[in-house]
Amino acid sequence: QFILKMAAVQSGQSETEEEKEIQPETSNDGSRTDGRPPAGSPGVPAPSPGAVKPSAPGEEETLRAVLRFLQKNNLSESVEILRREAGLPDEPEDQTGSESSGTGSGGQEAGGGVGDAGSLLSRVSAAPTPAAATVAAPPPPPSKVGAGDDRPDVNVVLSAYSQQGDPVLYDVYYSGLKKFIESVLDCHRAELSQVFYPLFVHMYLELVYNNHEAESKAFFEKFSGDQECYYADDLRILSSLSKKEHMRGNETLLDFRTSKFVLRISRDSYQLLKRHLQERQNNQIWTIIQEHLYIDIFDGMPRSKSQIDAMSGSLAGEAKRDSNKAKVFYGLLKEPEIEVPLDDEDEEVENEEGKPKKKKPKKDSLGNKSKKQDPNAPQQNRIPLPELKDSDKLDKIMNLKEATKRVRLGRDTLPSICFYSFLNAYQGLTAVDFTDDSSLIAGGYADSTVRVWSVTPKKLRRVKSAADLSLIDKESDDVLERIMDEKTASESKILHGHSGPVYGISFSPDRNYLLSCSEDGTVRLWSLQTFTCLVGYKGHNYPVWDTQFSPYGYYFISGGHDRVARLWATDHYQPLRMFAGHLADITCTRFHPNSNYVATGSSDRTIRLWDVLTGNCVRILTGHKGPIHAIAFSPNGKFMASGATDGRVLLWDIGHGIMIGDLKGHTDAIYTLKFSRDGEILASGSMDNTVRLWDAFKAFDELETDDFTATTGHIHLPENSQELLLGTYLTKATPVIHLHFTRRNLLLAAGAYNP
Amino acid sequence: MAEERRPKQCTVVVPTESMKAMAESIGVGQLQEESCVALSDEVSYRIKEIAQDALKFMHHGKRRKLTTSDIDNALKLKNVEPLYGFQSQDFIPFRFASGGGRELHFYEEKEVDLSDIINTPLPRVPLDVSLKAPKEQQKAESTEPLKVVKPGQEEDGIQNKTQGATSAESKGKDKGLRLKPRSTHELSVEQQLYYKEITEACVGSCEAKRAEALQSIATDPGLYQMLPRFSTFISEGVRVNVVQNNLALLIYLMRMVKALMDNPTLYLEKYLHELIPAVVTCIVSKQLCLRPDVDNHWALRDFAARLMAQSCKTFSTTTNNIQSRITKTFTKSWLDEKTQWTTRYGCIAGLSELGADVIKTLILPRLTIEGARIRAVMDGPVVSNIDKIGADHVQSLLLKHCASVIAKTRNPPDNVEQYRLDYGYLGPMLCSHVVKARTQAALQAQQVNRTTLTITQPRPTLTVSQSSLGGSGGPRTPSIIKVPSSLTLMSPRPGTPTQPSPPATKYIVMATSSGASSTQQVITLSSSQSGGTSTVQSATSGLQPLVKLESGGGPGLTASRPMQKYIVVSLPSSASLDGKGSGLTAISSSTAQLEAGMKLERSDSPGASTH
């Protein structure tokens, strides 16, 4: 029954998308330059996340049409006003799927001219043929014949650069603007400076595209030093581009082209810039701004430099304000009521021994939590969840029991840390995971193996072979014990199956399964009863960087080099959802504790939160300055922490979609983050061989989110990393690649000793 | 390449010469310059691209080092065949060559003969991956409630813990060992009681109890658990009592050391770092008693020196070099002009106990200088009584030890003038001593013969010993004894009769006062007290025939008795008889001072211990 439901959801989606199915999955996927076939399943409907429309499509269509008309005539202020009044979200150009509504009327808009070219471009990626016809694209040069028809969008995208001014004047234009921005009032300068980087990149690309190699080189050398240091990585890629031919295959470049760089600028600053450019007749720059940048204008005080710096850094600028407006049900699901007869007896015994008072309130609080419905929680059946099995209930009881013995952590009671070191790993350990009850550890290795250890005295045993199983008395009480083969008992088991380094690993909550994802493009499901591979999920055609089980089991998420995160159910060989939108590799994937959302971190330096039910992207969080390798949700589901190669941990309020903290301290990439079971301590582990503990309670407690901050998204972060840092614990030479809090709040860390 | 600093980013390209070289290597000659440029641009771009992709794999592999497999994976990503077999032992496997005006770096690919590979024995399989977690933590996790760390100690506490955890992983590296938690050896209640009793008896006032206690230490087989405590007890005791100049207690402690050494079930090597400083302190300390002019601290020095020699012989190895280190220590302070007579005496005693070789190489050459110094004190204006006594003791010590050595090394005739020429002030005295030694040696040879004759009937020997125990150092023995006296000095384990000691002890104490023989007397003292049944096998060459003969005559106990006899008998030989009485008083007085010293709370700096 459950499966049917999921299938229904999927097919419903596909129906609304019918026209889309004939087109390439997404522009990103379609634009690969190599000879690999585009996605393993050409016929598979690609339920693009943005495609699922909100309600009342008819009215919105009308409004959108009006908007477009206004845009066409460059009535940008009216556009803004209409948008605000109608409550329409900005057109999410970077989500190509959402443009599908426009494809029908593509021809009409294509005549829109220069001002519309930007939106056109992105539309082109979805509907290549009509657009290519209307845009004055040069015929593809002979060298490109080999490109073939499966990627026509590339040329079209690049062709936008063909309109150009005098290459020599680029220098003058840019320095002119620079001079102007440096001369404006301080309060505007910081805001306007944001324009530099995208302008610089676009101008450079235009030069390169039009074969002005010498000029482009000179331009780069002259102005690349002015850019913010956090763009260094992108600049490095950019610098290697010096020929038009290179542009075709460069993904970073395509990202830049297909998505508009988003800037948030206050109205005053924007007017200032506009006036200047119009006065100077600086059409070249104005055209770029019109075409390639998306300027999100807001009313109010211009932001300060630090505010801007906190939020910028991603590949495509900041998130639009409107993209974070959707309601997110971040509350936790109601825990099923479980009778705990055994537990009571135990507690009774403890009571008699000493603490009769302590028990009552504790029990009440536990009871309250499960009874009251959190207004922020999603409907219990918002997404279908697997039913609890008896063994799950037992586990829950165990969990509750352990929870009563849990140490309450805080500033003054820091957790003990137990470090599990992998010896003789020869730099090959790539991923680690613990089971929730901390009884098993699994490690993924660069040599394609997965190893599972038991860290309790209980050894790992295989189920007997079928022939032996048939001999067992199935009625006996200890049948579960009898089916295990004593002869296979050992402390660790090795799982062979992948054909490339294993990059992600995840235990199912019931400890029966293990997921692993690998460079070979597959995700594999292993049974921990038989220690064999059950399924290989093929869908990603490129390395899969991360995978994780849902906290309720059954579902899992994977993400990799193809920039698409996929949601799977263990009994489906095809993904249930595909979350497309990231502009670079998806480097880590995490489920929200209520399983209704997934967060993905990416090399494009953004985090996106996706709604599992609708497939929509409901949050885009920018601020990191490097690829994001770690995400953790707070146990109450309200907050999120993320860590990146820049060594910083950022804290996010999911409900408001804003950054609320920036923890500086690590000196190298952060690979793991974990909240303690009560959410009071955040532990972070890094390549710099340290575990650091942060006072999450304080970070979240001192937070005052006024309406203004919430609506504008302008955050002002206190510089309190040092106050929040509770401890730094050095290992000798072991990068910390996984952290885990046991149910009693002992912190387990793992890493490979790396002499 | 892509990792170049930013200013250079635009410019870094593969040189066109490389293009040409590569083209030639695949058989394309005469490449147009233009094509070279175009190619090099293209190649550099692609290489940068691949390097950037490879970085991704490095990051996901959680490494800091880019490996060739990362490059392979990046190539795979681009659908390019990876470079198979690019494995190298070297860090940079490129070779350099030049010629024809060109410089070239190339990757040396040798042709590999497969049969070579097949025939070579398989290399050792590398260790398998294993998981390591600190034991105690595991326990804490599984059973015990979580340990809460106090805020004050958290920085150190947990950090150490984590470090300990990670260093424990380091497979027995130095650091790991250092951080290994020290295991304490718990003593059972009985052992604690025993320890208390023993230590109290050893330093108590009851001589009988002490004798029993020392014997217990020397014989009990199950003491190894208490050994660390004993050694600490001794070293601490010496430290305290040297400061307080408590001679009696120092003697008791040295007797404990002796007893520990005698116990065949104990191996002291692990505790030498505590014992040796204590012993050396007792040898060379500037002051060991309250009244250096009266108290016989010389005996203690001699005894400790003998202990030192014994431990050198037993424990010195090429790695710890105890003997050479000790020798150096003694020599250094002996050579120092300012060294006091007491310390000087200790150094010489310590050195001479180490054997004839040491005497020959280190002491004999300095006899002249030492003689001059002694004469300065003896003949010069009387500075202080203490100095005079010290010089006197040093002189007799030198005479005693050197005479026997010279007797062996120097050929007769013994000309006094010649001796004076060779050894200065001490020459004449040495000469007479040497002469005595020679005659004694001759006598002893006879004695040996005699014993061989009498061996079938052990009675005579027994009577001799008894007579000596009786305290009437028989006048017939002296002739026999002289040589044995020096021989027993060298024997690491002096004979130890079981219990007939008390009278012997007394007798020996009397002898103590007589400078030269003091060493001997202390031996007997200790041996009688410890009363161990330690065997006599390790006797030195000089003694060996004797002992062998005796043990042949009667087993175990009887064998040791004759030994005892010789020692005792030897006493009067070198000791002046008149010293007996004063010796007795010396000891008694020193014990009397013991209490006084305790009360006095001396704030003197501890005696100079030259170790």
Side-chain angles (χ1 to χ4, degrees):
Chain A
Q1 180 204 356
F2 167 66
I3 296 158
L4 277 178
K5 241 188 224 167
M6 285 307 293
V9 170
Q10 196 183 356
S11 64
Q13 236 175 15
S14 321
E15 276 164 35
T16 64
E17 295 287 326
E18 249 169 359
E19 343 145 9
K20 265 209 65 185
E21 285 175 26
I22 48 162
Q23 292 149 15
E25 276 184 33
T26 63
S27 67
N28 292 335
D29 267 6
S31 61
R32 301 245 164 257
T33 50
D34 50 63
R36 284 205 194 186
S41 47
V44 179
S48 240
V52 183
K53 287 279 145 204
S55 56
E59 273 180 35
E60 212 174 287
E61 276 307 301
T62 322
L63 283 171
R64 278 188 192 282
V66 176
L67 264 178
R68 265 186 211 106
F69 178 78
L70 291 172
Q71 276 177 334
K72 199 167 76 183
N73 294 305
N74 264 342
L75 301 168
S76 60
E77 284 186 38
S78 316
V79 170
E80 274 298 309
I81 293 165
L82 179 62
R83 248 186 212 152
R84 219 175 311 128
E85 283 178 353
L88 275 181
D90 287 3
E91 278 179 72
E93 274 90 348
D94 51 344
Q95 294 169 42
T96 51
S98 68
E99 244 61 46
S100 59
S101 63
T103 47
S105 52
Q108 176 207 333
E109 289 154 30
V114 177
D116 219 2
S119 55
L120 177 69
L121 272 174
S122 37
R123 211 165 299 124
V124 155
S125 57
T129 338
T134 46
V135 173
S143 68
K144 285 187 190 170
V145 172
D149 287 328
D150 56 334
R151 308 184 292 273
D153 48 330
V154 179
N155 292 333
V156 178
V157 166
L158 296 180
S159 69
Y161 281 128
S162 58
Q163 313 123 353
Q164 51 153 327
D166 186 351
V168 186
L169 290 180
Y170 273 54
D171 198 337
V172 181
Y173 293 149
Y174 189 88
S175 14
L177 184 69
K178 196 173 150 192
K179 210 173 276 167
F180 161 70
I181 288 176
E182 275 166 3
S183 68
V184 298
L185 286 173
D186 279 355
C187 61
H188 298 298
R189 191 189 301 148
E191 284 208 315
L192 292 180
S193 302
Q194 298 176 80
V195 184
F196 281 137
Y197 174 67
L199 263 186
F200 168 78
V201 175
H202 283 291
M203 290 173 90
Y204 176 74
L205 292 179
E206 277 197 32
L207 286 171
V208 170
Y209 183 79
N210 293 300
N211 287 327
H212 302 297
E213 205 181 326
E215 284 89 348
S216 66
K217 213 171 250 183
F219 184 76
F220 189 93
E221 273 177 26
K222 184 158 182 191
F223 297 114
S224 67
D226 298 344
Q227 310 306 328
E228 299 286 353
C229 54
Y230 38 80
Y231 292 120
D233 285 345
D234 287 344
L235 287 176
R236 190 176 294 144
I237 295 171
L238 208 60
S239 72
S240 61
L241 262 173
S242 56
K243 287 221 181 332
K244 190 176 175 182
E245 289 76 28
H246 298 158
M247 291 172 78
R248 261 192 34 248
N250 196 299
E251 290 152 18
T252 316
L253 166 65
L254 278 168
D255 296 334
F256 219 89
R257 296 299 307 117
T258 51
S259 60
K260 283 188 165 187
F261 197 93
V262 182
L263 302 169
R264 281 192 204 173
I265 293 184
S266 70
R267 185 170 302 282
D268 293 349
S269 308
Y270 180 68
Q271 296 292 1
L272 211 59
L273 178 69
K274 195 174 164 188
R275 212 175 309 132
H276 165 77
L277 291 175
Q278 280 170 352
E279 273 169 19
R280 293 290 188 85
Q281 299 285 303
N282 201 339
N283 281 327
Q284 192 61 37
I285 288 182
W286 185 239
T287 318
I288 292 177
I289 290 179
Q290 291 277 304
E291 280 177 30
H292 301 306
L293 309 191
Y294 179 97
I295 299 188
D296 195 359
I297 300 164
F298 63 86
D299 291 306
M301 286 282 290
R303 293 186 295 168
S304 70
K305 176 97 171 99
S306 65
Q307 278 177 316
I308 293 169
D309 278 349
M311 299 286 284
S312 53
S314 102
L315 195 64
E318 293 178 48
K320 287 170 215 162
R321 275 175 298 153
D322 294 336
S323 59
N324 286 343
K325 286 281 184 277
K327 164 99 174 145
V328 173
F329 300 101
Y330 55 77
L332 301 182
L333 293 178
K334 212 163 68 177
E335 286 289 321
E337 304 256 345
I338 303 169
E339 288 302 314
V340 197
L342 268 174
D343 197 42
D344 275 345
E345 276 172 33
D346 274 9
E347 291 216 341
E348 226 79 70
V349 176
E350 272 178 29
N351 281 346
E352 283 159 25
E353 280 170 4
K355 320 151 212 164
K357 276 182 191 169
K358 219 176 178 181
K359 174 209 159 188
K360 274 256 163 139
K362 201 178 253 176
K363 240 204 153 180
D364 281 353
S365 70
L366 281 174
N368 278 346
K369 206 192 266 173
S370 56
K371 270 168 208 155
K372 211 199 283 168
Q373 174 67 37
D374 186 345
N376 288 312
Q379 287 286 313
Q380 200 70 14
N381 54 357
R382 192 165 177 267
I383 62 164
L385 292 171
E387 295 215 341
L388 281 183
K389 290 176 290 188
D390 286 349
S391 58
D392 297 331
K393 285 178 184 157
L394 273 175
D395 197 55
K396 288 241 186 283
I397 293 170
M398 278 302 295
N399 195 353
L400 280 178
K401 273 191 193 171
E402 294 269 309
T404 58
K405 293 173 187 167
R406 182 181 298 163
V407 171
R408 186 125 183 113
L409 299 178
R411 191 161 254 287
D412 300 326
T413 46
L414 294 180
S416 293
I417 305 175
C418 170
F419 204 106
Y420 285 94
S421 318
F422 289 78
L423 303 179
N424 313 318
Y426 307 107
Q427 305 219 340
L429 184 72
T430 45
V432 177
D433 196 30
F434 287 90
T435 53
D436 187 64
D437 67 348
S438 319
S439 63
L440 304 175
I441 295 184
Y445 290 84
D447 63 3
S448 333
T449 59
V450 175
R451 286 159 202 257
V452 185
W453 275 272
S454 167
V455 292
T456 58
K458 201 177 155 193
K459 299 231 163 130
L460 300 175
R461 293 171 303 176
R462 240 175 235 153
V463 172
K464 285 178 183 163
S465 69
D468 292 337
L469 281 177
S470 62
L471 302 175
I472 289 175
D473 173 16
K474 281 152 196 90
E475 301 306 313
S476 74
D477 288 341
D478 60 343
V479 67
L480 285 178
E481 193 58 27
R482 289 195 186 192
I483 59 171
M484 306 311 285
D485 189 353
E486 271 312 319
K487 275 175 278 177
T488 60
S490 64
E491 268 182 16
S492 78
K493 293 259 185 271
I494 304 180
L495 308 174
H496 295 281
H498 281 295
S499 60
V502 178
Y503 288 119
I505 212 166
S506 175
F507 280 106
S508 73
D510 60 2
R511 296 188 297 284
N512 283 327
Y513 305 104
L514 176 71
L515 275 177
S516 63
C517 63
S518 157
E519 187 267 344
D520 62 14
T522 61
V523 179
R524 281 177 187 270
L525 181 74
W526 309 85
S527 163
L528 298 182
Q529 303 292 333
T530 59
F531 292 98
T532 52
C533 182
L534 301 176
V535 197
Y537 299 95
K538 291 171 186 167
H540 296 275
N541 277 305
Y542 292 97
V544 188
W545 297 132
D546 200 8
T547 186
Q548 200 208 8
F549 254 115
S550 148
Y552 292 87
Y554 186 63
Y555 300 109
F556 64 91
I557 178 88
S558 66
H561 180 71
D562 62 4
R563 304 156 186 219
V564 181
R566 287 167 164 81
L567 179 85
W568 311 73
T570 47
D571 53 3
H572 283 58
Y573 68 91
Q574 286 177 342
L576 303 179
R577 295 281 183 281
M578 292 170 70
F579 305 111
H582 275 297
L583 302 173
D585 301 33
I586 290 174
T587 47
C588 70
T589 54
R590 282 293 170 272
F591 262 95
H592 189 276
N594 68 18
S595 197
N596 278 264
Y597 297 91
V598 289
T600 54
S602 162
S603 302
D604 67 9
R605 308 187 286 274
T606 63
I607 299 162
R608 284 172 186 248
L609 193 70
W610 310 87
D611 188 335
V612 167
L613 180 68
T614 64
N616 284 331
C617 174
V618 290
R619 290 286 179 272
I620 302 175
L621 307 170
T622 62
H624 273 298
K625 320 285 191 242
I628 291 147
H629 278 273
I631 293 179
F633 283 95
S634 71
N636 62 12
K638 226 175 148 185
F639 304 106
M640 190 166 78
S642 60
T645 52
D646 59 8
R648 297 188 316 156
V649 178
L650 298 184
L651 304 175
W652 309 91
D653 181 334
I654 298 171
H656 296 104
I658 52 169
M659 188 195 299
I660 50 172
D662 177 0
L663 308 175
K664 292 173 192 148
H666 281 292
T667 56
D668 207 332
I670 294 164
Y671 279 116
T672 173
L673 286 167
K674 202 77 173 192
F675 281 95
S676 68
R677 294 278 171 156
D678 303 317
E680 310 224 310
I681 299 273
L682 173 66
S684 59
S686 157
M687 275 300 275
D688 64 11
N689 299 345
T690 59
V691 176
R692 282 170 208 257
L693 300 181
W694 311 87
D695 192 342
F697 180 76
K698 194 177 172 203
F700 296 143
D701 195 43
E702 287 175 355
L703 193 71
E704 80 286 338
T705 333
D706 49 77
D707 288 342
F708 174 76
T709 317
T711 47
T712 58
H714 299 166
I715 39 108
H716 188 74
L717 294 177
E719 271 291 332
N720 57 354
S721 297
Q722 283 316 306
E723 285 171 48
L724 296 178
L725 180 62
L726 298 180
T728 302
Y729 307 110
L730 265 170
T731 67
K732 195 176 163 217
T734 310
V736 185
I737 66 170
H738 195 76
L739 291 168
H740 175 80
F741 276 95
T742 68
R743 289 171 174 172
R744 295 182 186 184
N745 264 342
L746 174 75
L747 180 55
L748 307 181
Y753 178 62
N754 202 354
Chain B
M1 247 166 257
E3 271 61 53
E4 290 290 336
R5 290 305 310 156
R6 216 199 283 175
K8 288 187 191 167
Q9 275 169 357
C10 278
T11 54
V12 178
V13 284
V14 180
T16 51
E17 290 80 33
S18 304
M19 287 294 111
K20 274 185 189 150
M22 285 175 209
E24 274 170 32
S25 73
I26 53 163
V28 180
Q30 272 95 43
L31 206 60
Q32 300 274 316
E33 189 61 32
E34 274 176 40
S35 348
C36 277
V37 173
L39 265 177
S40 79
D41 276 356
E42 180 69 13
V43 165
S44 350
Y45 171 69
R46 295 297 165 202
I47 288 177
K48 286 175 189 175
E49 209 175 34
I50 287 164
Q52 275 150 8
D53 277 340
L55 272 181
K56 257 182 212 172
F57 285 93
M58 181 192 80
H59 277 303
H60 283 281
K62 274 116 185 163
R63 276 178 277 113
R64 279 201 203 83
K65 214 185 268 173
L66 193 73
T67 63
T68 49
S69 65
D70 290 331
I71 306 269
D72 286 351
N73 286 332
L75 287 171
K76 254 165 99 182
L77 210 60
K78 299 257 172 251
N79 238 9
V80 179
E81 185 101 358
L83 299 163
Y84 293 111
F86 193 93
Q87 313 267 327
S88 173
Q89 304 295 320
D90 310 341
F91 179 57
I92 300 174
F94 297 102
R95 302 278 174 273
F96 175 77
S98 60
R102 288 199 304 189
E103 294 178 340
L104 199 59
H105 291 268
F106 62 95
Y107 177 58
E108 195 175 28
E109 278 184 296
K110 285 180 191 137
E111 252 178 51
V112 182
D113 191 353
L114 278 182
S115 61
D116 281 355
I117 295 178
I118 294 166
N119 292 332
T120 46
L122 287 174
R124 268 182 59 208
V125 179
L127 291 170
D128 196 18
V129 181
S130 60
L131 189 64
K132 168 109 186 169
K135 280 274 161 48
E136 61 267 35
Q137 306 253 359
Q138 269 178 331
K139 205 168 53 179
E141 181 208 345
S142 57
T143 56
E144 288 163 22
L146 181 60
K147 192 176 157 197
V148 179
V149 179
K150 296 279 174 306
Q153 48 184 149
E154 110 245 324
E155 277 301 342
D156 307 332
I158 297 190
Q159 182 142 0
N160 278 342
K161 213 173 273 172
T162 351
Q163 272 180 342
T166 30
S167 54
E169 81 201 18
S170 63
K171 296 171 275 175
K173 291 213 165 158
D174 299 356
K175 259 199 161 174
L177 278 182
R178 188 168 60 80
L179 288 169
K180 199 171 124 191
R182 283 174 69 178
S183 55
T184 47
H185 301 284
E186 293 296 324
L187 293 186
S188 66
V189 181
E190 294 82 359
Q191 283 173 319
Q192 288 176 24
L193 279 177
Y194 173 84
Y195 174 77
K196 188 166 159 265
E197 285 294 319
I198 288 281
T199 48
E200 274 174 8
C202 281
V203 296
S205 52
C206 174
E207 187 58 40
K209 260 193 188 172
R210 178 165 25 257
E212 262 177 61
L214 288 175
Q215 187 185 352
S216 171
I217 292 178
T219 53
D220 243 318
L223 296 184
Y224 58 91
Q225 270 172 318
M226 276 169 275
L227 194 51
R229 283 149 217 270
F230 275 130
S231 72
T232 312
F233 176 81
I234 291 166
S235 78
E236 286 299 312
V238 167
R239 190 172 303 168
V240 171
N241 288 303
V242 158
V243 177
Q244 303 196 334
N245 294 320
N246 199 332
L247 179 65
L249 274 185
L250 289 175
I251 292 175
Y252 298 152
L253 289 170
M254 284 303 108
R255 281 163 70 180
M256 271 181 87
V257 177
K258 170 80 184 145
L260 285 173
M261 277 188 182
D262 284 346
N263 191 323
T265 63
L266 295 180
Y267 195 58
L268 297 184
E269 196 184 21
K270 294 268 189 307
Y271 305 95
L272 289 179
H273 66 281
E274 282 188 314
L275 293 178
I276 286 191
V279 174
V280 172
T281 303
C282 288
I283 300 175
V284 298
S285 179
K286 248 190 297 194
Q287 195 177 0
L288 288 171
C289 50
L290 283 177
R291 291 181 303 162
D293 48 341
V294 187
D295 295 344
N296 188 359
H297 55 95
W298 313 106
L300 174 62
R301 291 178 200 276
D302 284 334
F303 180 57
R306 204 155 323 121
L307 279 178
M308 194 63 244
Q310 182 179 340
S311 49
C312 279
K313 227 163 259 163
T314 325
F315 302 111
S316 187
T317 62
T318 46
T319 43
N320 60 20
N321 275 328
I322 292 176
Q323 170 134 13
S324 66
R325 279 155 69 187
I326 290 294
T327 315
K328 248 177 236 159
T329 311
F330 284 145
T331 322
K332 207 177 134 215
S333 58
W334 182 30
L335 296 183
D336 191 347
E337 286 296 315
K338 288 171 195 144
T339 310
Q340 299 203 356
W341 285 108
T342 45
T343 306
R344 199 171 289 278
Y345 178 90
C347 292
I348 297 170
L351 283 174
S352 41
E353 292 295 348
L354 290 174
D357 279 343
V358 178
I359 294 175
K360 200 163 83 182
T361 50
L362 289 175
I363 299 183
L364 291 188
R366 278 191 59 87
L367 272 180
T368 327
I369 304 167
E370 211 55 34
R373 191 174 284 132
I374 291 169
R375 184 168 60 178
V377 177
M378 294 295 198
D379 301 350
V382 180
V383 191
S384 80
N385 197 25
I386 295 176
D387 272 353
K388 201 155 188 172
I389 296 175
D392 187 42
H393 273 98
V394 170
Q395 178 183 327
S396 45
L397 180 76
L398 283 172
L399 290 178
K400 181 182 79 184
H401 286 296
C402 295
S404 56
V405 176
I406 293 173
K408 270 185 211 130
T409 52
R410 209 179 157 100
N411 295 324
D414 296 315
N415 184 357
V416 177
E417 282 314 306
Q418 191 59 40
Y419 269 81
R420 190 192 297 279
L421 212 63
D422 286 353
Y423 303 114
Y425 171 70
L426 294 175
M429 283 177 271
L430 262 181
C431 182
S432 62
H433 271 82
V434 169
V435 171
K436 252 188 234 166
R438 285 194 207 282
T439 52
Q440 241 168 42
L443 266 174
Q444 208 203 343
Q446 287 173 8
Q447 170 82 5
V448 169
N449 286 335
R450 219 189 304 166
T451 35
T452 35
L453 287 173
T454 55
I455 189 162
T456 39
Q457 9 162 281
R459 288 199 80 198
T461 42
L462 267 177
T463 45
V464 169
S465 74
Q466 270 160 0
S467 70
S468 68
L469 283 173
S472 62
R476 32 169 188 165
T477 38
S479 59
I480 309 174
I481 287 139
K482 262 185 193 163
V483 177
S485 72
S486 60
L487 286 173
T488 32
L489 286 177
M490 284 183 226
S491 89
R493 289 169 189 263
T496 45
T498 29
Q499 257 315 348
S501 31
T505 323
K506 259 182 199 163
Y507 172 78
I508 285 143
V509 169
M510 284 186 222
T512 315
S513 67
S514 68
S517 70
S518 57
T519 44
Q520 263 180 324
Q521 153 266 335
V522 180
I523 288 169
T524 9
L525 178 99
S526 76
S527 64
S528 62
Q529 289 299 343
S530 56
T533 51
S534 66
T535 49
V536 206
Q537 293 129 336
S538 50
T540 43
S541 56
L543 195 55
Q544 240 166 357
L546 253 181
V547 174
K548 266 185 187 162
L549 291 172
E550 293 294 347
S551 56
L557 196 66
T558 42
S560 63
R561 280 195 179 212
M563 271 295 296
Q564 170 68 14
K565 166 199 75 181
Y566 279 120
I567 294 152
V568 175
V569 165
S570 72
L571 284 171
S573 70
S574 53
S576 53
L577 282 172
D578 59 8
K580 286 178 189 172
S582 65
L584 188 66
T585 48
I587 274 289
S588 58
S589 62
S590 72
T591 40
Q593 278 154 12
L594 185 152
E595 281 89 28
M598 297 281 211
K599 280 174 206 155
L600 272 175
E601 286 283 11
R602 297 205 129 208
S603 60
D604 285 6
S605 59
S609 49
T610 44
H611 56 268

